[in-house]
Amino acid sequence: MARLVVVSNRVSVPSGDGSKRAGGLEVALRPALHKKGGMWFGWSGKVADSQDEVATRTSRHKNVDYVVTDLSNDDYQEYYNGFANRVLWPILHYRLDLAEFARRDLGGYFRVNKHFATELAKILTDDDVIWVHDYHLIPIADALRRLGHANRIGFFLHVPLPSPEVLTSLPNHEQLMPLLLQYDLVGFQTENDAGNFVRYLISEQNGLRREFRVFETSGKHITVTWNGQQTRIGSFAVGIEARGFQRLARRNVRSPLVKELVTSLDGRALVIGVDRLDYSKGLIQRLDAFDMFLARHAEWLGKVTYLQITPKNRSEIPEYADLEEAAGAAAGRINGKYGEVSWTPIRYVNRVYSRSVLAGLYRTARVGLVTPLRDGMNLVAKEYIAAQDPEDPGVLILSRFAGAAIDCRRALLVNPYDPESVAGAIAQALEMPLAERRARHKELLAQVTENDIDKWQRAYLAALQGETDMADEPSLALPPLRSARPAAVYAKKEPGALETPR
């Protein structure tokens, strides 16, 4: 059986004491690796003072090899803080106003991808199946192909892919985006994201670099055929270990920390939000909506507490430092406006909690508030659903701009840019009768359980290895493809055709 090699920007290596860093990528990938075994490769998280001090290390935990490599300080600043998080991240999340491009950073982005490919190439075997994750690593398949590797390589984008009109605002998009056609399979969270990529290729056909032969639609997916090579494009919605998270929530609702929280609430209803400190999560808009809710529903003053857990993120980037200050100020302003000696409307904390603790907190909360301005999927929404007591479930309020909204249509779907909409949904959720809460939760739980993490990884890996026609995936709503004129597109048969920016 072929070995599965997962490649991501960060690698979550289990520590000796059993503690874990449980980000969204880990939640998605660890079950697949534990089930199949294999290797996880990526950045160690360590920054060396100079290139001479950069090292690559290997460790093993259970049936998984963890291979991590360091970055030099220049690489970290240009690749990670620079192009990945100050150009790609904001543009992919429709925040063109926050993108800050420097050609030096683009060069660093390509340089680090080449470094990753060089280190990875040393330990690959010919039959390894390589699964690359997220926007940090778009060029790595191209780098591996140039090194002579003909392995099956798949790519999955965890964040949204915007419309062609937005995507073309990315500087040097014509150099970067066609590199996705060096993969055998390109997967997206939603049908709309996958369609946006194909629409981008069609709309930009005259500006791309090699002759483009034909687009073919086949069943439920798109195959891009060019120069005898094929790249498949499809949507694969990430799920969670729903049944495992249910068990985690049942156990940890009785944990000391959760009991302490319940005692401190003194019978008040709990509204919970859990997000990284990121401008894509809509934190300021959410706080404004809670302010409006309290202003318009005085009957809930003193009877509800909003707990917002927001670990700090990328604090060295100015936009994130500004957001941190603004969110803290907004929470303080609302508490000063409505709070009493015996009641604080908002509990705003910036620390990290384990998944087990969060599971217990979700089960305790009457309302789950998940209102990103744009999100590829958002697994917090699915975890909140799984954590609920079916006999007395809470209500999920969910942004219609999160990928999770496709499966979670029985949540209260809101426009996060409209504070009145969110404020009204908070009131509706708090006042919702038990029968309606049960009915909504039953349908939501069925969706989350059926479309779980195991289904996601099985569907993707089967498609990558050519074992399925992807018939379970939704058909892509695209403009007519066969009438498209021949386009110029970067071709994978000519290694070195695309020069790395200097």
Side-chain angles (χ1 to χ4, degrees), residues 256-268:
L257 189 149
V258 176
K259 285 184 176 180
E260 182 181 347
L261 170 66
V262 171
T263 299
S264 70
L265 290 173
D266 195 24
R268 299 182 182 93

Side-chain angles (χ1 to χ4, degrees), residues 89 105 280 374 384 421 467 491:
W89 178 269
D105 294 342
S280 69
R374 189 72 61 167
Y384 178 79
S421 166
E467 299 170 359

Side-chain angles (χ1 to χ4, degrees), residues 22 257 307 309 311 349-358 361:
L257 189 149
L307 171 62
I309 298 174
V349 294
N350 293 126
R351 60 163 295 179
V352 176
Y353 291 93
S354 68
R355 290 186 76 226
S356 58
V357 168
L358 291 176
L361 294 176

